Amino acid sequence: MTAAPYRTDLPGPSGDKYLGNLHAFSSDPLGFLTDCSRRYGDVVRLGENNVLLTDPGDVEKMLVDRDSLFSKASADTRRGSRRQGFPHSTMNSDGDRWKAKRHRLQPAFGRSLSTRAAEIVDTQGEKLLRTWRPGQARTLQDDIAVVTLRLVTQLMFGDEFSDRDTAEVARLVAPIMDLSTSPVLLPEWVPTPRKLRIRRSMARIDRTLRALAASPAANDPERAPVLHALVHG
């Protein structure tokens, strides 16, 4: 979130003279933010354009009570990231643009979708547990990511993705998610390896979504309510 004017009197870590808190955040984002909250309180200055809020009441005021005073990204940020992520997605939109997109998707998110989601999670969780073996070391975060991805793809597109397709989607999304957790966003014209991977992934995702929009599932609100709302809403 961005807001003006910027306050310099808020407590927070000073960090490096040139890189600020970049190294600490990049090395362990959750650990860094948790430590900042413990050391400096509910409102922490992380940098010139970043403030950490941890009190639920403050978060509610910003997101609900006074949401018109804040924006998710500035115009410069959107221009700089137009080919590096999803700057026009619902979650990154503000104001009337967000309301229009939310209104378009709202019909898909009824009680039946929640019931179906619970059934899919139960099925996919059982499927995952059957792959576990006694004494085996597992990375829980990776397992949860697989279940979540299967849930989202099945709810949105109507069919359960194969393990191969699920792995392919995860591979395509990974560079973009990498960007979303990076504290530094270089100008678009800088041809870094990460940006080249993101552009290739975005092109592949765009082709995949176009194919899904033209599929029979897109015309079936019972089978794929979210996809149907996106295409016909």
Side-chain angles (χ1 to χ4, degrees):
M1 292 290 185
T2 59
Y6 169 64
R7 289 184 56 181
T8 59
D9 59 332
L10 297 173
S14 57
D16 181 82
K17 180 179 180 181
Y18 299 103
L19 297 179
N21 299 294
L22 173 61
H23 178 70
F25 178 85
S26 300
S27 301
D28 182 9
L30 181 59
F32 171 70
L33 296 177
T34 301
D35 181 65
C36 285
S37 176
R38 289 171 178 168
R39 292 178 61 185
Y40 301 105
D42 296 334
V43 183
V44 185
R45 175 187 51 78
L46 300 178
E48 183 176 350
N49 298 307
N50 296 282
V51 175
L52 172 66
L53 301 180
T54 58
D55 181 83
D58 291 337
V59 174
E60 182 179 14
K61 288 178 181 177
M62 184 182 72
L63 296 179
V64 180
D65 299 339
R66 304 177 184 176
D67 62 299
S68 62
L69 300 179
F70 298 89
S71 62
K72 295 177 182 178
S74 66
D76 290 338
T77 300
R78 290 193 180 94
R79 283 195 296 269
S81 63
R82 64 185 182 274
R83 292 176 61 188
Q84 302 178 44
F86 302 108
H88 301 298
S89 65
T90 302
M91 68 178 180
N92 290 326
S93 299
D94 289 306
D96 292 338
R97 179 179 296 177
W98 174 82
K99 290 179 181 178
K101 293 178 179 181
R102 183 182 185 279
H103 179 74
R104 184 178 184 180
L105 289 172
Q106 185 65 33
F109 289 88
R111 180 175 297 178
S112 60
L113 189 71
S114 300
T115 301
R116 187 177 175 192
E119 294 171 350
I120 294 173
V121 167
D122 184 63
T123 300
Q124 293 297 340
E126 290 292 336
K127 182 178 179 179
L128 176 66
L129 288 175
R130 288 196 293 270
T131 67
W132 290 11
R133 298 292 180 266
Q136 181 185 38
R138 306 282 302 196
T139 302
L140 189 58
Q141 179 178 344
D142 292 342
D143 286 342
I144 293 175
V146 169
V147 172
T148 303
L149 186 56
R150 286 174 175 165
L151 166 67
V152 171
T153 52
Q154 193 168 349
L155 281 178
M156 288 194 65
F157 309 131
D159 297 312
E160 179 179 354
F161 277 27
S162 67
D163 290 343
R164 180 178 178 180
D165 289 338
T166 300
E168 175 67 7
V169 172
R171 185 185 68 81
L172 292 174
V173 172
I176 302 168
M177 297 304 296
D178 234 10
L179 175 70
S180 68
T181 59
S182 174
V184 175
L185 185 63
L186 295 175
E188 185 180 333
W189 53 266
V190 180
T192 65
R194 169 187 282 181
K195 290 182 181 178
L196 295 177
R197 289 195 299 271
I198 289 174
R199 291 180 185 180
R200 287 194 293 267
S201 294
M202 290 292 290
R204 179 68 182 274
I205 289 172
D206 185 62
R207 291 195 296 270
T208 301
L209 292 177
R210 289 180 184 276
L212 287 167
S215 69
N219 297 315
D220 189 342
E222 296 297 326
R223 177 181 170 189
V226 179
L227 179 60
H228 182 271
L230 286 170
V231 174
H232 300 285

